[in-house]
Amino acid sequence: MTYRPILAVIEREIVRLFRQKSRLLSAMVRPMIWLFVIGAGFDAMLGQGGGSGGDGASYQYFLVPGVLGMSMLFGAMLAALATVYDKESGVMRMLVVAPFEHYWIVVAKTLSAAIAAAIQAVLVLILLALLGYLSKDLSPPLLVAGIAATSLASASTGMLIAACTKTLDNFAVMMNLVIFPMFFLSGSLYPIQHLPDALRIVAMINPYSYGVDLLKHALPVSGSVNFSTDFSLGLNLAVLLGFSALATAIACARFSRETAYEPLIHMLSRKRGE
Amino acid sequence: MMRDSPALATALAIRARELTKRYGDMLAVDHLNLDVHAGEFFGLLGPNGSGKTSTIHMLSTLIRPTGGTAHIAGHDVSNDGVKVRAAIGVVFQESALDRNLSAAENLRFAGLLYDLPRAEIKRRSDELLALFGLTDRRDKPVASFSGGMRRALDIARGVIHRPQVLFLDEPTIGLDLPNRKKIWRFIENLRAETGMTVFLTTHYLEEASECDRVAFIKSGRIVQSGPPHELVRRLGAFVIEIEADDTDRIAAELAPRLGHAMMDGERICFRFNGDAAQLAALQTEFADRIGALRWRKPNLNDVFLWVNETSADCESPAHTPSRDATLQR
Ligand SMILES: Nc1ncnc2c1ncn2[C@@H]1O[C@H](COP(=O)(O)OP(=O)(O)OP(=O)(O)O)[C@@H](O)[C@H]1O
Ligand SMILES: [Mg+2]
């Protein structure tokens, strides 16, 4: 396997991203809804005066890393899950007859989903900058690292699920059972340190929490103690990269094993409507 | 025959020995033995669910055989999947195209998967699009293509890397006659240009008469094989078709003289090796009891009909488009 097939898969994902205008639009709008509806709502409810952070910081600003992360979580997961769910496109058939080991399909798909997610994150970032929501203390290198690592971890989670899923028609289930819980049970909406024990443990198991935390390092809420980060930089990076590697390895193994892809091929080769 | 010479026997494009695929209790492919020579045009014919697609999927390394071995261009499908896939092109029963991409983009995607340089892909896709009459559609999304155009593009996609062996799983299913003819012309041209081995499955038996050799598969077993003209010749000199109200009685009455009767819809069919005088006598004898009596040369459809009836474990009659329906379309 050389680089061309991987580039082909990535190129196709990017072409699709910009061709599916509604996908791109909802990727832009979704984070903004959280920022303006939930963020502004909380601030209003808790009284803008003192700031809901209790030390003068606005909850809306606390949400910025979370909504940036959200664009990647959704962008990467939807792209990765589409691998299995996109029955209409015969692309999987092209991929499985191509002359490379089948685990390369997982690698290429993971990379392309991560890149699609990173592109969406950059667009959301530009939108946030234009609206004046980017922290003055932002750290460009950490932001780059945060976007790269969070996109990759989200994409490998998506591919792991895609590789382990045999039925092709419960997209909405995945959305509700995986993507939303990962979002809610991370540090996106509240600092993990303030969560009750059970929720805090779940959040600490959720690899996505470490992505959000890394983004919090990159986009600190100026002067707020309560809205500070939960984990160290090193831990965040180690968990994200370690998890990505592990998830991708398991997905590769699953996808290479006959039982994992044979039902898929069977389904792909059935005539529609039969 | 040249094919049987020892030198050429080593140049096997496809070689399967006792190839078996089991799904639970179901034997989808049952100890299949198959030799297809390099450059040969081979047809695997059989009713729905007889194991054609399972066979193609095993030969193209997409599913693992439960038993037996198969080699493509000398590479083992079980241990050397990548090399096998590099040597073959597969046109699936279902389209393998990205509907959101244009014709040219699909071919480029496919070409890149085979690690072809971009300039080469551009050259070959222009060539293939021209060959398949799609040049003016190159930048249109596949979603806007008709079934025929989509099939043509799918075949172009399957051959962009110039495979040694091309698998075609019912390439003309669902297409009208002009489109089917077009597809066959493309394949004919491709074969003439590249000499590639073609392994075909189809329901339309008229199309299979172009094959160098065909095999009939039934419940996963090959029940008969050979060159189409040979099989047709072996069947008999003529086929007699009789239309009557009381088909069962007439069939029973004629059985001692003409052998086992085949029911093809409303008609009774017999194989017949006698001469015109005998036929005339028969016609006079039954004149007032039958609606029509015709005789004609047999074709592959008849071979298929008799293969299905005479092979032991008959299930439902083959899904073969009735002769008239197919011919008139
Ligand atoms: N993944 C699978 N699981 C269970 N049974 C299967 C699977 N794939 C195929 N079969 C069964 O194996 C048999 C052969 O199927 P196959 O698709 O090879 O037939 P076919 O000759 O291609 O039929 P068709 O003309 O309809 O395409 C069928 O009875 C089918 O139901
Ligand atoms: Mg089939």
Side-chain angles (χ1 to χ4, degrees), chain A residues 262-263 266 270-271 274, chain B residues 23 26 28 46-55 93 169-170 203:
Chain A
E262 193 159 314
H266 178 61
R270 290 287 95 180
K271 280 162 271 182
E274 258 188 26
Chain B
Y23 292 106
M26 231 281 285
N48 283 129
S50 54
K52 303 182 297 295
T53 299
S54 301
T55 304
Q93 199 164 339
D169 199 355
E170 306 198 27
H203 279 148

Side-chain angles (χ1 to χ4, degrees), chain A residues 262-267 269-271 274, chain B residues 21-24 26-29 44-57 63 93 169-170 173 201-203 217 219-220 315 319:
Chain A
E262 193 159 314
L264 177 68
I265 286 167
H266 178 61
M267 249 170 289
S269 63
R270 290 287 95 180
K271 280 162 271 182
E274 258 188 26
Chain B
K21 182 70 200 181
R22 188 182 276 284
Y23 292 106
M26 231 281 285
L27 261 180
V29 178
L44 187 65
L45 317 175
N48 283 129
S50 54
K52 303 182 297 295
T53 299
S54 301
T55 304
I56 285 196
H57 283 177
I63 61 177
Q93 199 164 339
D169 199 355
E170 306 198 27
I173 195 132
T201 76
T202 183
H203 279 148
I217 184 171
S219 308
E315 38 174 12
H319 162 89

Side-chain angles (χ1 to χ4, degrees), chain A residues 62 186-188 190-194 200 204 209-210 212-214 216-217 226-232 235-236:
Chain A
F62 169 78
S186 67
S188 303
Y190 355 80
I192 291 176
Q193 56 205 343
H194 295 167
R200 196 172 69 239
M204 286 171 75
S209 301
Y210 298 84
V212 175
D213 199 63
L214 187 51
K216 285 182 192 165
H217 278 280
N226 290 337
F227 286 164
S228 67
T229 57
D230 297 303
F231 312 112
S232 75
L235 180 67
N236 286 331

Side-chain angles (χ1 to χ4, degrees), chain A residues 154-259:
Chain A
S154 306
S156 23
T157 312
M159 270 318 287
L160 180 61
I161 297 167
C164 295
T165 308
K166 290 199 174 166
T167 49
L168 296 182
D169 37 31
N170 39 15
F171 200 92
V173 174
M174 279 302 155
M175 192 81 173
N176 290 323
L177 286 183
V178 179
I179 306 185
F180 279 119
M182 276 183 81
F183 175 66
F184 288 125
L185 298 171
S186 67
S188 303
L189 301 178
Y190 355 80
I192 291 176
Q193 56 205 343
H194 295 167
L195 288 175
D197 277 352
L199 285 181
R200 196 172 69 239
I201 290 168
V202 174
M204 286 171 75
I205 294 171
N206 179 1
Y208 176 68
S209 301
Y210 298 84
V212 175
D213 199 63
L214 187 51
L215 294 170
K216 285 182 192 165
H217 278 280
L219 298 162
V221 181
S222 316
S224 169
V225 186
N226 290 337
F227 286 164
S228 67
T229 57
D230 297 303
F231 312 112
S232 75
L233 266 180
L235 180 67
N236 286 331
L237 277 173
V239 169
L240 289 171
L241 297 183
F243 174 80
S244 301
L246 185 69
T248 306
I250 298 173
C252 284
R254 282 287 304 176
F255 204 73
S256 305
R257 260 184 48 208
E258 174 204 16
T259 48

Side-chain angles (χ1 to χ4, degrees), chain B:
Chain B
M1 224 170 108
M2 223 174 66
R3 285 224 162 81
D4 296 321
S5 79
L8 279 173
T10 56
L12 282 181
I14 303 172
R15 179 192 153 93
R17 288 291 173 271
E18 306 292 316
L19 194 64
T20 302
K21 182 70 200 181
R22 188 182 276 284
Y23 292 106
D25 292 339
M26 231 281 285
L27 261 180
V29 178
D30 187 1
H31 298 87
L32 196 84
N33 290 303
L34 203 64
D35 282 337
V36 179
H37 300 265
E40 199 174 17
F41 185 13
F42 182 88
L44 187 65
L45 317 175
N48 283 129
S50 54
K52 303 182 297 295
T53 299
S54 301
T55 304
I56 285 196
H57 283 177
M58 279 192 285
L59 294 177
S60 52
T61 76
L62 300 185
I63 61 177
R64 242 167 219 294
T66 317
T69 59
H71 289 81
I72 307 289
H75 307 296
D76 186 336
V77 296
S78 302
N79 305 324
D80 236 345
V82 175
K83 280 195 185 137
V84 170
R85 291 200 289 276
I88 64 171
V90 185
V91 178
F92 294 88
Q93 199 164 339
E94 258 291 313
S95 135
L97 298 168
D98 187 337
R99 297 162 57 91
N100 301 311
L101 299 184
S102 69
E105 285 168 339
N106 265 289
L107 292 183
R108 186 163 74 156
F109 183 70
L112 287 172
L113 292 184
Y114 288 90
D115 203 22
L116 300 174
R118 278 167 204 263
E120 180 66 17
I121 294 175
K122 169 93 180 60
R123 215 176 51 69
R124 288 194 200 177
S125 13
D126 287 348
E127 210 177 280
L128 283 167
L129 288 173
L131 178 72
F132 286 72
L134 291 170
T135 304
D136 54 333
R137 294 231 139 219
R138 53 167 298 141
D139 296 318
K140 300 272 188 308
V142 169
S144 72
F145 281 29
S146 75
M149 293 190 273
R150 221 170 278 173
R151 258 294 137 179
L153 181 63
D154 209 358
I155 296 172
R157 192 267 315 151
V159 299
I160 189 150
H161 56 297
R162 308 214 168 123
Q164 284 171 261
V165 183
L166 176 63
F167 291 97
L168 296 168
D169 199 355
E170 306 198 27
T172 54
I173 195 132
L175 301 187
D176 61 14
L177 192 56
N179 268 305
R180 273 156 58 196
K181 285 197 168 141
K182 237 197 250 171
I183 298 283
W184 288 117
R185 226 182 22 251
F186 301 144
I187 294 170
E188 213 32 65
N189 291 345
L190 267 176
R191 272 174 26 85
E193 259 171 49
T194 62
M196 72 176 67
T197 311
V198 176
F199 184 102
L200 161 84
T201 76
T202 183
H203 279 148
Y204 298 113
L205 301 185
E206 293 76 14
E207 300 180 336
S209 47
E210 300 301 312
C211 291
D212 295 326
R213 215 150 47 85
V214 297
F216 289 93
I217 184 171
K218 177 133 193 300
S219 308
R221 288 172 157 278
I222 290 189
V223 285
Q224 194 163 22
S225 69
H229 59 90
E230 183 77 16
L231 294 180
V232 169
R233 197 183 52 72
R234 252 192 272 158
L235 191 70
F238 298 107
V239 166
I240 304 179
E241 294 179 356
I242 295 173
E243 282 169 24
D245 294 332
D246 195 6
T247 45
D248 289 347
R249 251 203 39 224
I250 293 182
E253 212 168 306
L254 281 173
R257 266 186 279 175
L258 296 176
H260 184 60
M262 281 290 323
M263 296 297 172
D264 185 13
E266 300 291 280
R267 290 178 303 236
I268 325 169
C269 298
F270 291 102
R271 292 149 42 155
F272 183 65
N273 280 312
D275 57 23
Q278 277 173 278
L279 265 170
L282 210 63
Q283 199 153 18
T284 333
E285 188 183 337
F286 285 86
D288 42 351
R289 291 171 55 203
I290 58 177
L293 183 148
R294 276 185 296 269
W295 53 294
R296 56 170 177 78
K297 289 269 176 215
N299 57 35
L300 261 191
N301 260 316
D302 302 311
V303 177
F304 189 50
L305 216 57
W306 261 278
V307 153
N308 272 301
E309 195 61 23
T310 47
S311 63
D313 50 343
C314 293
E315 38 174 12
S316 61
H319 162 89
T320 156
S322 103
R323 192 166 19 252
D324 288 329
T326 315
L327 286 175
Q328 282 165 14
R329 220 173 301 165

